[in-house]
């Protein structure tokens, strides 16, 4: 059976996915007049600390996930470029499995507002949350 391992007569289940490290909230708006989708997004760690804000821009749901994952992916791969590391390369698909995506369809004004940085926001970067 896939995902089941028996050690010393005890059954243990292996996790089939990476543990969640990031929460990504994506707001979508569809321009019915011209037929174009738009999105804005925010990335949080598990303690709901805001890590990054992605402004209102053109793209559908899968494009939004790719755009939001790219900075996380770059940071995870830069860590392995440093000396005394394993030299592993993490694929974008593996990074996306560490993220929980919350997609919501919204009005244009809420979608645009979601892509603006809050007044209290200080850019910290992903390095502090790896």
């Amino acid at each position: 059976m896939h995902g089941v391992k028996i050690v010393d007569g005890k059954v243990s289940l292996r996790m089939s996915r990476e543990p969640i490290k990031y929460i990504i909230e994506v707001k979508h708006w569809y321009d019915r007049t011209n037929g174009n989708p738009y999105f804005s997004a925010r990335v949080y760690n598990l303690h709901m600390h805001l890590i990054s804000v992605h402004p209102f821009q053109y793209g559908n749901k899968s494009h939004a996930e790719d755009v939001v994952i790219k900075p996380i992916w770059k940071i995870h791969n830069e860590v392995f470029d440093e000396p005394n590391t394993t030299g592993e390369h993490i694929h974008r698909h593996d990074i996306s499995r560490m993220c929980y995506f919350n997609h919501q369809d919204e009005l244009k004004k809420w979608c645009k507002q979601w892509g603006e940085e809050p007044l209290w926001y200080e850019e910290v970067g992903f390095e502090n949350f790896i």
Side-chain angles (χ1 to χ4, degrees), residues 4 12-13 19 22 24 43-44 46-47 49 56 60 62 74-76 80 83 99 102 104 107 121 128-129:
V4 177
S12 66
L13 298 175
Y22 304 102
I24 300 173
V43 180
Y44 299 93
L46 291 180
H47 301 291
H49 293 125
F56 185 72
N60 61 10
S62 62
K74 283 184 177 179
I75 293 300
H76 276 273
F80 294 116
C99 300
N102 182 9
Q104 300 172 4
L107 296 173
Y121 175 67
N128 298 335
F129 299 104

Side-chain angles (χ1 to χ4, degrees), residues 57-103:
Q57 56 192 295
Y58 174 80
N60 61 10
K61 292 186 179 187
S62 62
H63 177 68
E65 290 182 6
D66 287 342
V67 168
V68 172
I69 293 254
K70 190 173 182 178
I72 302 171
W73 174 77
K74 283 184 177 179
I75 293 300
H76 276 273
N77 285 320
E78 284 177 8
V79 169
F80 294 116
D81 290 340
E82 296 176 2
N84 301 323
T85 59
T86 61
E88 297 175 17
H89 175 77
I90 299 177
H91 195 270
R92 277 192 190 177
H93 177 71
D94 296 328
I95 298 294
S96 68
R97 293 177 69 192
M98 290 189 277
C99 300
Y100 170 76
F101 291 95
N102 182 9
H103 293 278

Side-chain angles (χ1 to χ4, degrees), residues 3-70:
V4 177
K5 186 174 164 184
I6 299 176
V7 178
D8 298 329
K10 296 180 182 177
V11 177
S12 66
L13 298 175
R14 291 187 301 223
M15 291 183 61
S16 62
R17 63 177 288 152
E18 296 283 331
I20 300 295
K21 292 185 179 179
Y22 304 102
I23 299 169
I24 300 173
E25 293 195 36
V26 185
K27 308 277 187 184
H28 297 276
W29 174 69
Y30 186 75
D31 180 9
R32 287 188 216 134
T33 307
N34 299 312
N36 296 324
Y38 295 90
F39 74 93
S40 59
R42 291 184 182 184
V43 180
Y44 299 93
N45 68 358
L46 291 180
H47 301 291
M48 292 305 289
H49 293 125
L50 184 61
I51 297 174
S52 69
V53 178
H54 297 269
F56 185 72
Q57 56 192 295
Y58 174 80
N60 61 10
K61 292 186 179 187
S62 62
H63 177 68
E65 290 182 6
D66 287 342
V67 168
V68 172
I69 293 254
K70 190 173 182 178

